[in-house]
Amino acid sequence: MTARFAHPDILSPSPHHLHQVPVLVLMPHSKCNCRCLMCDIWKGNKSGTSLSLAQLQRIEADLRAFGVKHVVLSGGEALMHPDIWSLCALLKSLPARVTLLSTGQTLAHHVETVSVLCDEVIVSLDGSPAMHDVVRGIPGAFEKLQDGIVALRRHRPDFPIAARCVLQKCNFRDLTAIVTAARSLNLDRISFLAADLSTTAFNRPNGWDDKHTDAVCLSVEESLEFADIIEQLIADNADDFATGFITERPERLRGLAHYYQAVHGLRSFPPIRCKAPWVSTVIEADGTVRPCFFHPALGNVNDRPLNTILNSDEAIAFRETLDVRSNPICQRCVCTFNM
């Protein structure tokens, strides 16, 4: 049987044995310089860890063998890593396209190196200036973000800079103002996603209790109001959808309101189409390997080679039995990475 995602002349005992993993999501540093309402990563700052260059070098051969073409630096905040540029230099030599996800708080200090060792920056933008600071939990967060974008644009005007925004209870009414803020920051595009409410990702090993969930999740009434706000944006900002400045198609954006309505049982969760466990992997700062942000760990690169982990009996069995249409973790997935 010919392996899926493999070269036609390579035979494998299972179509779920991975020969190619074109996308790597790397979380090189576990600390963060924001205190976001919808994320607990920053709560682990006291015991933060970093993936070392030596650790990355140990899996370099596997990354090359898997044909990694795109690396997404997630976090924590990657720019807090003490040796991030050595890691990026190795990743660029694969060769791979490097996308940096960043809070933007220290971007102004790194523009020269970012412009050389990264191919794209995606910053977090969670509101118009005052709202962004509230969501990020840091006074002056918007101003620092703006300073970083201005500095990068000044250094290299054509460098791709986008934004992503998590829409939740605190900021969903700010949707139109967020698009306006993205324009004012001279960004290339902006994308939106809902808040993850139900998994153990983002430093939540025990999940959230009802109080924390209620502080982030829209109520029934708010979810219906959110749907109206989205329809107004679709009507008023048709050009932004047509040009791709707003990355999501209108139907995908409507799905964010549907997601919160589904939490309350008003409808089904939006349908999921995802190949992430078959074409990508996530490696965290402590070496933990996951099939995606949300599913349980498959192993740790400090204990076993990456190829051994991704093609272990357990990993293959996971992919063989995973139906993203019915799996409860997949059904509630908020990820917008198109794998």
Side-chain angles (χ1 to χ4, degrees):
M1 183 182 295
T2 303
R4 188 183 301 176
F5 308 119
H7 294 294
D9 58 342
I10 298 177
L11 299 182
S12 168
S14 168
H16 300 278
H17 184 104
L18 302 186
H19 291 280
Q20 295 180 339
V21 183
V23 180
L24 168 65
V25 180
L26 190 66
M27 303 167 74
H29 191 66
S30 67
K31 294 185 180 181
C32 187
N33 48 21
C34 285
R35 304 290 185 270
C36 296
L37 300 173
M38 61 288 181
C39 177
D40 287 354
I41 287 177
W42 58 272
K43 294 182 179 179
N45 278 359
K46 290 183 179 180
S47 58
T49 57
S50 293
L51 189 72
S52 70
L53 177 61
Q55 289 172 302
L56 190 59
Q57 288 171 331
R58 285 200 294 272
I59 64 172
E60 179 182 358
D62 279 345
L63 298 181
R64 293 183 184 278
F66 277 128
V68 171
K69 300 298 182 187
H70 187 187
V71 179
V72 179
L73 299 178
S74 186
E77 171 56 54
L79 292 179
M80 293 178 69
H81 190 289
D83 196 23
I84 185 61
W85 304 123
S86 294
L87 270 63
C88 285
L90 186 155
L91 296 169
K92 289 292 290 181
S93 74
L94 291 177
R97 174 180 175 82
V98 176
T99 295
L100 170 66
L101 306 186
S102 176
T103 65
Q105 295 303 286
T106 62
L107 182 60
H109 305 298
H110 299 280
V111 292
E112 292 187 8
T113 321
V114 165
S115 68
V116 173
L117 292 178
C118 298
D119 297 282
E120 174 189 33
V121 171
I122 302 178
V123 298
S124 297
L125 175 63
D126 289 302
S128 49
M131 178 59 69
H132 181 80
D133 289 4
V134 169
V135 175
R136 292 272 129 186
I138 300 292
F142 186 92
E143 184 178 0
K144 292 177 182 177
L145 171 63
Q146 185 175 44
D147 289 346
I149 294 170
V150 169
L152 186 51
R153 286 283 187 229
R154 184 182 298 121
H155 178 74
R156 185 175 160 187
D158 63 340
F159 190 85
I161 312 174
R164 62 175 185 173
C165 175
V166 177
L167 292 168
Q168 34 82 25
K169 179 184 284 286
C170 184
N171 68 349
F172 77 94
R173 293 187 180 93
D174 209 36
L175 176 57
T176 299
I178 294 169
V179 175
T180 300
R183 283 286 186 197
S184 74
L185 291 170
N186 194 23
L187 296 170
D188 295 312
R189 66 184 190 279
I190 184 168
S191 62
F192 297 94
L193 63 158
D196 174 48
L197 303 171
S198 58
T199 75
T200 59
F202 312 119
N203 194 36
R204 299 179 307 206
N206 299 313
W208 276 344
D209 58 24
D210 290 343
K211 181 179 180 181
H212 201 154
T213 301
D214 290 344
V216 175
C217 183
L218 276 63
S219 67
V220 170
E221 294 76 14
E222 288 168 339
S223 70
L224 298 173
E225 180 186 356
F226 187 27
D228 291 338
I229 292 171
I230 290 172
E231 291 303 325
Q232 192 63 55
L233 182 75
I234 292 170
D236 293 345
N237 294 66
D239 288 347
D240 288 331
F241 288 96
T243 63
F245 181 74
I246 297 176
T247 301
E248 287 77 21
R249 297 187 300 273
E251 190 55 36
R252 171 75 183 189
L253 199 62
R254 291 184 178 108
L256 302 187
H258 297 168
Y259 168 85
Y260 287 113
Q261 291 168 12
V263 170
H264 296 289
L266 300 183
R267 59 164 66 234
S268 298
F269 285 95
I272 296 296
R273 297 176 180 87
C274 178
K275 296 180 181 178
W278 291 270
V279 298
S280 68
T281 191
V282 174
I283 301 179
E284 299 178 355
D286 66 353
T288 297
V289 177
R290 297 181 185 275
C292 70
F293 284 113
F294 308 108
H295 281 284
L298 300 173
N300 192 296
V301 293
N302 294 317
D303 302 325
R304 293 184 292 167
L306 181 61
N307 178 57
T308 302
I309 294 171
L310 293 182
N311 285 313
S312 66
D313 291 344
E314 295 83 357
I316 291 174
F318 166 77
R319 293 188 291 270
E320 285 178 339
T321 58
L322 179 63
D323 183 349
V324 299
R325 297 166 298 180
S326 60
N327 181 274
I329 291 178
C330 294
Q331 285 181 326
R332 291 172 172 254
C333 182
V334 299
C335 184
T336 59
F337 284 121
N338 182 8
M339 300 298 185

